Amino acid sequence: MADMAFQLSVSVRDVGIALAFYRLLGFRVVSEGTQPFRWAHVTDEQILISLAEDGSGVTALTYFVADVETRTLLLTRAGYDVQLRNDGFLHALVRDPNGVAVWLIGTDPAHVYRPTGLPVSRCGRFGEFSLEADDLAATIAFWETLGFVVTYQHEIAPWVTMKDARTTIGIYQRGICPHAFRNPSVAYFEPDMADRIAVLKQSGLVFVEEMLAPDDTVREAIAEAPDGPLFFLFSG
């Protein structure tokens, strides 16, 4: 998927509540509106997140591409169930073996905001969208069909890193991560993450899980977006 744009799409009950969370993390609003329902786009200049009161309840990895039919055909031939729709424009929904939703939207990618790549949020450096897999090999095969390639495979533990032209995912065998997990989650890595977590706590962010270092300091933590993904703030 070379000619494409990418975002994380999150269906929320209240955009205002969700925006308060993302602003606390340091994301900025790119655009917002009220038609056909209330929505907003936010970014940390590494990833773009769409918040929408669309009632679907779905969090999805979303690609904007010009050739939805061609990409849909590739997925169908590979044996995946693709729901192709035309509501004035083509869009397709497919799910990975673990139920992770992927949207292919038939919109000119040039019309979608592209982050600059320079981190602006309090989270620091974006690492990956993290996924848990019941069947690691089958999950890898699915994402390879979408154009991802394995860029790292742990020598012992069952997990891999995969990339395409727009983003990075980490896929972990279910149960190997000793902390809260939700598909998909958003992971950030910084050497000074303990200081970043402390600042966020002082700003009023409540974490759903905190991981203590041997010196009893909180060096890693997990935050929960309203109706959305978990944010992993990890040292590294």
Side-chain angles (χ1 to χ4, degrees), residues 2-231:
D3 183 20
M4 62 183 178
F6 174 83
Q7 71 181 23
L8 179 68
S9 300
V10 183
S11 175
V12 297
R13 286 169 288 185
D14 189 312
V15 167
I17 292 175
L19 282 177
F21 171 85
Y22 287 98
R23 283 180 169 130
L24 192 57
L25 290 184
F27 280 67
R28 72 178 189 85
V29 177
V30 174
S31 56
E32 55 186 321
T34 58
Q35 297 298 324
F37 37 71
R38 190 179 179 192
W39 58 271
H41 293 158
V42 299
T43 186
D44 66 347
E45 294 302 348
Q46 297 170 100
I47 61 174
L48 179 67
I49 298 179
S50 170
L51 308 170
E53 295 178 7
D54 61 6
S56 71
V58 174
T59 295
L61 304 181
T62 300
Y63 287 91
F64 297 88
V65 295
D67 54 346
V68 173
E69 288 178 306
T70 300
R71 299 176 193 278
T72 297
L73 184 60
L74 289 174
L75 289 162
T76 302
R77 286 177 174 172
Y80 300 110
D81 180 22
V82 184
Q83 302 172 36
L84 183 63
R85 307 171 187 174
N86 191 336
D87 300 328
F89 64 96
L90 282 176
H91 51 113
L93 174 66
V94 63
R95 293 181 182 272
D96 88 342
N98 316 287
V100 177
V102 179
W103 277 109
L104 303 176
I105 308 295
T107 300
D108 185 351
H111 297 158
V112 181
Y113 180 80
R114 302 246 177 136
T116 64
L118 301 175
V120 298
S121 81
R122 293 170 169 174
C123 300
R125 176 171 46 93
F126 170 76
E128 66 184 30
F129 292 101
S130 302
L131 312 176
E132 270 193 322
D134 295 306
D135 185 325
L136 191 63
T139 303
I140 291 171
F142 170 86
W143 291 99
E144 285 178 335
T145 305
L146 278 174
F148 282 76
V149 296
V150 174
T151 55
Y152 175 79
Q153 185 161 4
H154 196 278
E155 294 180 358
I156 301 174
W159 67 271
V160 301
T161 299
M162 302 185 74
K163 294 186 177 183
D164 70 357
R166 288 289 172 262
T167 195
T168 302
I169 60 174
I171 306 174
Y172 303 83
Q173 185 69 45
R174 192 175 302 279
I176 72 165
C177 296
H179 53 72
F181 212 112
R182 180 181 300 160
N183 278 345
S185 293
V186 188
Y188 288 81
F189 300 92
E190 284 290 359
D192 65 344
M193 193 59 81
D195 295 333
R196 293 174 179 271
I197 291 169
V199 170
L200 286 166
K201 290 178 72 172
Q202 291 171 1
S203 299
L205 184 63
V206 177
F207 290 94
V208 296
E209 187 172 344
E210 298 180 357
M211 287 77 102
L212 295 178
D215 61 0
D216 289 332
T217 59
V218 178
R219 296 187 182 177
E220 300 184 323
I222 299 174
E224 181 179 19
D227 304 312
L230 297 177
F231 278 72

